[in-house]
Amino acid sequence: MFKRIERSVILMGGLSVDESKCTKCGLCAKVCPADAIEPDDFGFPQISERRRGRCIECGQCVVFCPAGADMLSFMDAEKVVSAADIETPSPDAALNFLKTRRSVRRFKDEPLPRGTFDKIFDAVSQAPSAVNLQPVRWIVTETPEKTKEAANLILCWFRELIFKNPTSRAALLGAAMIAKAKSGEDGLLRGAPHVAAAVVPKEHRWPEDGTIALTYLELAAHALGVGCCWGGYFTTAARNFAPLRDFLGIKEEEYICGAQMMGLPQLRPVRQYPARRKAEINWL
């Protein structure tokens, strides 16, 4: 039923090892999720010819090498940095960062600089995906005008639902959104200047990879003071209304996993930690 998605990079030169640094500790083989690394005749690591096709290009063998001896052909050595040189928050600061994320539903009417998007998507590129396939393609409205075009198409979708079944729940909701739009209020995209949508191939068996990437996007945006809110109306309309899919350039063979409304918040919280349900856990 499912087809394997071909990787964009083919492992050609494979694993290169600086023998003057390598201690033959075997750690690279231990962390390889594909079990694709084995020692050569002299004890240095190499990619097994038998298992070369198993490599998922995760880079674990490089980043875990304590001697810094390993490198892979598809990696840029200049972009691989020492973990000790990376500034990271304390455990409490990291937890507070996660807990202070809030959904933003009032945005300033000004676009984000491209440099801000570059930083956000650089962080998003580190989101985990099944077998490291990295299947997500992004669609981002670049200007507030484009975002408003998308909002108008969602309104068109609601009008179609009203015509088909005016008493349905979706039609009644659509009528309310149309009334808000006539009064100058954007009840659909909340006046956000941008929307970012994540799509994956329909044949990809783990569409949750898109949801994970969207979560990374929201947290990366939070780190830069950018507000986000999950776009439920946008996502549902894009899944069901061909004119919106065409506007967004979503292909027939693609599935939209979700979307985030994005922009600078009009308002910021002065207190934190609103009540939430206690986690329901079944310990086994």
Side-chain angles (χ1 to χ4, degrees), residues 25-273:
C25 67
L27 186 58
C28 54
K30 291 179 181 178
V31 299
C32 176
D35 195 24
I37 297 176
E38 65 182 10
D40 65 13
D41 293 339
F42 301 97
F44 293 109
Q46 65 178 2
I47 299 241
S48 166
E49 284 301 324
R50 262 184 328 114
R51 298 170 180 166
R52 180 175 292 271
R54 293 187 186 180
C55 176
I56 65 171
E57 301 171 7
C58 65
Q60 298 285 72
C61 55
V62 172
V63 299
F64 277 90
C65 175
D70 295 350
M71 185 51 60
L72 288 161
S73 59
F74 56 87
M75 296 180 71
D76 184 346
E78 294 183 359
K79 293 183 178 180
V80 179
V81 301
S82 170
D85 294 336
I86 300 174
E87 183 180 354
T88 56
S90 68
D92 283 343
L95 291 172
N96 285 334
F97 169 76
L98 294 174
K99 290 161 66 177
T100 54
R101 181 221 62 86
R102 303 264 73 85
S103 295
V104 172
R105 294 181 177 86
R106 290 187 179 274
F107 296 89
K108 293 181 180 180
D109 187 20
E110 56 184 88
L112 297 174
R114 179 61 68 88
T116 299
F117 277 114
D118 290 343
K119 288 182 178 179
I120 289 172
F121 282 107
D122 181 57
V124 171
S125 70
Q126 296 296 325
S129 61
V131 204
N132 194 39
L133 285 172
Q134 304 171 55
V136 178
R137 184 173 76 86
W138 291 96
I139 300 167
V140 183
T141 55
E142 192 170 7
T143 65
E145 292 72 27
K146 283 291 185 182
T147 308
K148 288 173 184 175
E149 286 186 56
N152 286 333
L153 284 167
I154 299 173
L155 291 173
C156 290
W157 173 61
F158 273 127
R159 291 188 182 97
E160 184 179 273
L161 295 180
I162 292 170
F163 178 78
K164 290 180 178 178
N165 187 356
T167 60
S168 68
R169 185 173 180 273
L172 295 175
L173 180 60
M177 292 295 110
I178 292 170
K180 284 186 176 184
K182 287 181 178 179
S183 68
E185 180 183 354
D186 179 8
L188 295 171
L189 302 181
R190 306 287 183 167
H194 307 283
V195 176
V199 300
V200 299
K202 282 183 179 178
E203 64 185 21
H204 182 55
R205 69 180 73 185
W206 300 285
E208 53 267 39
D209 285 343
T211 307
I212 295 169
L214 284 160
T215 302
Y216 262 60
L217 180 141
E218 183 179 22
L219 292 174
H222 176 39
L224 297 175
V226 174
C228 288
C229 187
W230 291 74
Y233 292 128
F234 182 97
T235 302
T236 305
R239 288 175 180 170
N240 294 279
F241 192 52
L244 179 57
R245 292 179 65 88
D246 292 342
F247 171 75
L248 297 171
I250 299 176
K251 303 168 187 175
E252 180 61 32
E253 64 271 17
E254 289 181 318
Y255 173 78
I256 178 170
C257 303
Q260 291 277 9
M261 300 174 278
M262 302 178 67
L264 295 176
Q266 280 188 16
L267 309 169
R268 294 187 184 275
V270 294
R271 294 193 287 179
Q272 281 289 0
Y273 306 149

